[in-house]
Amino acid sequence: VFHLFEIKTFSFNSPVLPKNYDTADNIVVVIEGNLVDKITKQVITKRGDIVNEKDIINKKSTEFKNDLIADPDCVIAICNYSKFIEELGGTIDQLIEKSKAIESISKIALFKNFSQQKMQLISKMIKIEKFENGKNIIKQGESGNKFFIVKSGLVDIFINNRYIRSMAENACFGERALFFNEPRSTTAQANGRVEGYYLVDKDFMSILEPSLKDYLYSRFYLQDASVDLKDLDFVKEVGKGSFG
């Protein structure tokens, strides 16, 4: 989205934004210096901040009482709000939701080494699903193609109808469904009203290069807890007795 922004430079005390400027029209980022009220000399927006960011998020239209001037020399980046939203593909609320989802996903081991570019692609693929109390999100024995992250609420996990544990906000489950077409090993059930982010296997696979796919497959095989003694080959004895 950087190509949408126009960079403007202003000398000390020169007008940057007029008093009738509508904060809902554009996104203005202060790169250097500060924007100061011409009359009161109060700093309205400092370096690194967005002019009236809360108004943009809340879709609120506000005009300044006085002109905003540069103090000292000032550099701003300005972009039309509508074009910005169109480029990112969603309303500001949806973008905030996707940002929260990406923040949650980036903490998961599977995604920790993903590039920023790939995370942006994933953000466009993420969807939200809602579940009422007692509704199964995934069911043991059934096939599925969705990976879930708990956005809000509580999810209970069962194996063979036996309660195992509960998962709260930012917890995830079902990641094997992104790679393998196999029956679910657990049931995940909404405990109260639950909202979850989910990612579909085909979308996820579409952004992976062959080398990254192979690496992630190997990671999952290493995590496979279903290996039995009969599946192992004897190599050599590494020790005996209490020391061994």
Side-chain angles (χ1 to χ4, degrees), residues 17-26 28 44 51-66 68:
L17 298 175
K19 63 180 180 181
N20 59 351
Y21 172 83
D22 191 337
T23 57
D25 287 342
N26 297 305
V28 180
I44 303 300
V51 177
N52 283 21
E53 183 177 5
K54 290 183 179 178
D55 287 352
I56 295 172
I57 292 172
N58 296 322
K59 298 181 285 293
K60 180 182 177 183
S61 183
T62 304
E63 294 183 354
F64 300 118
K65 294 181 179 179
N66 304 302
L68 299 189

Side-chain angles (χ1 to χ4, degrees), residues 148-197:
F148 287 91
I149 300 172
V150 182
K151 176 179 178 291
S152 63
L154 196 65
V155 175
D156 292 336
I157 304 298
F158 298 86
I159 297 179
N160 299 326
N161 296 320
R162 183 168 62 89
Y163 171 79
I164 304 299
R165 63 184 181 276
S166 294
M167 291 183 163
E169 183 178 335
N170 293 327
C172 64
F173 54 91
E175 57 266 37
R176 288 183 67 88
L178 296 177
F179 295 90
F180 308 107
N181 182 16
E182 61 186 18
R184 300 282 195 182
S185 60
T186 63
T187 293
Q189 189 177 94
N191 184 345
R193 194 169 185 275
V194 170
E195 285 189 83
Y197 302 113

Side-chain angles (χ1 to χ4, degrees), residues 31-234:
I31 300 174
E32 294 290 345
N34 303 300
L35 297 187
V36 175
D37 186 297
K38 184 178 180 180
I39 304 302
T40 67
K41 304 303 180 183
Q42 178 186 358
V43 174
I44 303 300
T45 309
K46 64 181 186 297
R47 175 185 176 185
D49 288 346
I50 298 173
V51 177
N52 283 21
E53 183 177 5
K54 290 183 179 178
D55 287 352
I56 295 172
I57 292 172
N58 296 322
K59 298 181 285 293
K60 180 182 177 183
S61 183
T62 304
E63 294 183 354
F64 300 118
K65 294 181 179 179
N66 304 302
D67 292 346
L68 299 189
I69 60 175
D71 183 14
D73 293 347
C74 186
V75 179
I76 67 169
I78 185 168
C79 170
N80 179 267
Y81 174 84
S82 298
K83 289 183 178 179
F84 181 82
I85 295 301
E86 181 182 349
E87 178 76 10
L88 292 182
T91 65
I92 201 73
D93 293 333
Q94 290 170 334
L95 296 175
I96 291 170
E97 286 291 351
K98 288 183 178 183
S99 176
K100 290 179 181 178
I102 289 300
E103 185 179 355
S104 299
I105 285 177
S106 63
K107 298 175 183 177
I108 299 168
L110 173 63
F111 300 95
K112 273 188 176 179
N113 294 322
F114 274 36
S115 66
Q116 188 66 32
Q117 183 181 13
K118 275 195 168 43
M119 294 302 281
Q120 288 299 324
L121 290 173
I122 289 174
S123 73
K124 295 179 180 180
M125 299 171 176
I126 288 171
K127 298 178 179 63
I128 296 177
E129 193 168 355
K130 299 177 182 179
F131 303 90
E132 298 302 324
N133 181 46
K135 178 75 173 178
N136 285 338
I137 302 170
I138 63 174
K139 187 175 181 180
Q140 184 177 358
E142 293 183 352
S143 295
N145 65 341
K146 293 179 181 179
F147 162 63
F148 287 91
I149 300 172
V150 182
K151 176 179 178 291
S152 63
L154 196 65
V155 175
D156 292 336
I157 304 298
F158 298 86
I159 297 179
N160 299 326
N161 296 320
R162 183 168 62 89
Y163 171 79
I164 304 299
R165 63 184 181 276
S166 294
M167 291 183 163
E169 183 178 335
N170 293 327
C172 64
F173 54 91
E175 57 266 37
R176 288 183 67 88
L178 296 177
F179 295 90
F180 308 107
N181 182 16
E182 61 186 18
R184 300 282 195 182
S185 60
T186 63
T187 293
Q189 189 177 94
N191 184 345
R193 194 169 185 275
V194 170
E195 285 189 83
Y197 302 113
Y198 73 88
L199 185 62
V200 178
D201 58 350
K202 289 181 180 179
D203 290 340
F204 179 67
M205 285 297 178
S206 70
I207 67 168
L208 301 184
E209 303 87 359
S211 58
L212 183 55
K213 284 183 185 178
D214 292 341
Y215 169 73
L216 293 174
Y217 272 121
S218 66
R219 287 282 302 272
F220 270 103
Y221 279 121
L222 287 173
Q223 295 172 7
D224 193 345
S226 63
V227 177
D228 296 320
L229 188 61
K230 61 182 176 59
D231 298 317
L232 304 177
D233 294 325
F234 176 80

